[in-house]
Amino acid sequence: MPEYHVECMRCGARYERDDVVYTCECGGLLDVKYEYSTVDAASITRGGELGVWKYRALLPFEDGILKLKGEGGTLAPVTTREGNTPLYKCERLAEKLGMRELYVKHEGLNPTGSFKDRGMTVGVTKALELKMTRVACASTGNTSASLAIYAARAGIPCFVLLPKGKVALGKVAQAVMHGARVVAIDGNFDDALRIVRELCEELRIYLLNSVNPYRLEGQKTIAFEIAEQLGWRAPDRVVLPVGNAGNISAIYKGFCELRELGILGEVPKMTGIQADGARPIVDAIKEGRAEITPEPQPETIASAIRIGNPVNAPKALRAIRESGGVAEAVTDAEIIEAQKELARLEGIGVEPASAASLAGLKKLLELGVVEKDETVVCVTTGHLLKDPEAVLKACEPPVEVEADADAVRKLLIAHGL
Ligand code: AN7
């Protein structure tokens, strides 16, 4: 396990491993930094089953502390076998878009149905290491579902704050079933995050939103798996939805670390997609600004990314700019169309926010910003079943008919079968 410390990306201040700290005293975001000469790079590329803990040589736990198979430490990771998600080669979709090589990394096939599990297995394990006895988050849904499940496995209480009436049904169902204390506030996600940050400091509850740098360490394993599934090759571009902007920052960091270790020569162009009604990162990129202007009233059908003031904006802007990527916004109609294409051309069922990645790719191809011969990976972040209500609004309802073969036959013929 590597030597590491936590460092402010703005002022460079360093924090100790046992500090419970989420942002720097100067207000800057924190990065986990490794002493790369102490990293066992061979263990990263060695074969074996994929998944977050395969890459523990690049996870923030001291040598000898983890109690995994064959390791004799004191801390058993809180895990539900997260990661190891498929990287689908999408030939029908590629053909339709005139592309050479298009892949979808389907993070909706994580244990709780979203990529958040990668962050939570590391984050909740870190909570136990830091001797924190309670965890909390604000959420547009998936973070709360994931945290609820990892807290249940860890046997510690979990508090979640949700924007009332704006969280997809499947996500609320998970949070309440797995025993989280769920509070719905009369406000949006950004309000919920502001409140939970304040209360976590005051009540010494461990905060597991993506402002917590350890959570992003788990999420960066998406990059490791993409590279490994491509045969230790970097795609030209990774396209993904952006909400609170943690995931794009995490995946970029993962690719940078592989380059640092000499495993990859290049990092992909990080390409962030937001919904038109919640696009502060897109605007900052397009206008070349160093800071975002928060959107006070974010709105989109993609409720997961209905976020107006992304806390990780500085990291996301850095990821997009340093990698030569871009940001683009898509409408709700474009999101639904892309959701159907993934579902019907490739058999990949995703929630609306995830479809924003494909919708954005299509737009960037049309604009000529993305070249058709690029190797592109779209990350689909959450499963279709998370948001059944959005599906029922987007699709024709089942046709109802009496239980009679003739009646059904007529109907099928009318449908051209
Ligand atoms: C399916 O659950 O913010 O840019 O509170 O659920 O890292 O925030 C969810 C975010 C994309 C955006 N796709 O990721 C939450 C929450 C899905 C998501 C995002 C989310 P970030």
Side-chain angles (χ1 to χ4, degrees):
M1 240 64 47
E3 288 292 314
Y4 70 93
H5 67 274
V6 173
E7 191 177 296
C8 174
M9 73 176 277
R10 190 198 283 170
C11 76
R14 282 172 74 126
Y15 291 86
E16 297 303 323
R17 285 197 286 258
D18 53 3
D19 284 341
V20 175
V21 55
Y22 311 105
T23 48
C24 183
E25 274 168 29
C26 82
L29 295 169
L30 302 176
D31 279 319
V32 177
K33 295 259 175 157
Y34 298 92
E35 201 58 67
Y36 289 99
S37 59
T38 70
V39 172
D40 177 8
S43 78
I44 301 288
T45 50
R46 197 176 297 144
E49 194 178 335
L50 302 191
V52 169
W53 295 97
K54 180 197 172 212
Y55 306 106
R56 59 190 174 276
L58 275 169
L59 292 178
F61 296 95
E62 269 179 271
D63 217 3
I65 205 168
L66 288 178
K67 199 156 104 190
L68 274 154
K69 209 166 53 181
E71 289 169 23
T74 51
L75 184 68
V78 183
T79 172
T80 59
R81 288 173 165 263
E82 44 293 309
N84 194 11
T85 57
L87 182 74
Y88 295 122
K89 186 160 195 200
C90 295
E91 290 179 352
R92 299 181 72 199
L93 207 42
E95 192 184 329
K96 183 169 181 189
L97 301 178
M99 295 182 70
R100 202 167 49 83
E101 219 181 343
L102 173 62
Y103 297 87
V104 165
K105 177 74 169 159
H106 193 12
E107 286 294 297
L109 294 182
N110 270 291
T112 81
S114 87
F115 70 97
K116 306 285 182 182
D117 298 348
R118 293 181 187 266
M120 290 307 176
T121 186
V122 171
V124 173
T125 302
K126 184 55 79 175
L128 298 186
E129 188 192 6
L130 292 170
K131 310 250 178 315
M132 300 297 279
T133 54
R134 299 167 300 172
V135 289
C137 69
S139 182
T140 58
N142 281 325
T143 298
S144 67
S146 187
L147 184 56
I149 287 161
Y150 285 85
R153 283 188 83 81
I156 56 177
C158 164
F159 303 90
V160 312
L161 246 63
L162 307 178
K164 191 171 83 187
K166 293 292 183 181
V167 177
L169 209 57
K171 307 174 188 181
V172 183
Q174 289 176 297
V176 295
M177 175 50 98
H178 289 284
R181 273 66 151 186
V182 182
V183 180
I185 63 152
D186 210 355
N188 62 27
F189 169 82
D190 305 293
D191 299 319
L193 183 55
R194 177 174 42 80
I195 294 167
V196 82
R197 285 179 76 171
E198 186 181 324
L199 295 180
C200 280
E201 292 285 350
E202 190 183 310
L203 303 171
R204 228 183 126 71
I205 302 173
Y206 199 56
L207 176 66
L208 274 163
N209 280 100
S210 56
V211 67
N212 182 322
Y214 293 121
R215 224 193 81 185
L216 298 187
E217 291 303 292
Q219 289 175 210
K220 78 185 178 187
T221 60
I222 294 174
F224 300 165
E225 287 188 11
I226 289 173
E228 181 155 5
Q229 286 166 316
L230 290 175
W232 294 110
R233 177 167 69 98
D236 296 314
R237 187 179 296 274
V238 173
V239 186
L240 73 158
V242 171
N244 219 13
N247 210 28
I248 192 168
S249 314
I251 296 174
Y252 175 62
K253 184 172 191 281
F255 279 113
C256 288
E257 290 181 345
L258 294 180
R259 182 179 55 188
E260 180 76 32
L261 293 174
I263 295 169
L264 295 180
E266 305 214 44
V267 302
K269 297 181 171 72
M270 299 305 301
T271 301
I273 312 299
Q274 293 193 294
D276 241 348
R279 48 180 290 166
I281 303 266
V282 175
D283 288 337
I285 288 286
K286 288 194 184 234
E287 292 160 23
R289 283 189 275 111
E291 284 180 12
I292 60 156
T293 307
E295 163 58 57
Q297 285 174 323
E299 206 47 82
T300 167
I301 188 178
S303 57
I305 52 172
R306 187 175 168 273
I307 295 175
N309 188 14
V311 69
N312 285 300
K315 283 187 180 176
L317 295 176
R318 177 178 68 180
I320 293 168
R321 289 187 170 127
E322 283 184 4
S323 69
V326 290
E328 191 51 83
V330 290
T331 65
D332 284 358
E334 289 166 336
I335 287 173
I336 292 165
E337 191 186 308
Q339 187 187 25
K340 286 184 177 167
E341 283 172 331
L342 281 164
R344 295 175 184 185
L345 286 176
E346 298 292 347
I348 301 172
V350 307
E351 64 166 288
S354 307
S357 60
L358 176 64
L361 172 64
K362 286 169 64 182
K363 186 167 270 184
L364 291 167
L365 283 164
E366 276 164 29
L367 293 169
V369 174
V370 174
E371 309 272 351
K372 296 197 165 178
D373 64 354
E374 290 183 24
T375 298
V376 175
V377 175
C378 286
V379 182
T380 54
T381 42
H383 197 279
L384 175 76
L385 293 175
K386 290 283 194 169
D387 194 350
E389 288 169 311
V391 175
L392 295 177
K393 275 186 218 147
C395 299
E396 291 284 317
V399 189
E400 293 181 8
V401 69
E402 64 268 35
D404 175 77
D406 272 346
V408 176
R409 186 180 301 110
K410 270 196 206 120
L411 210 75
L412 293 184
I413 290 167
H415 280 77
L417 289 171

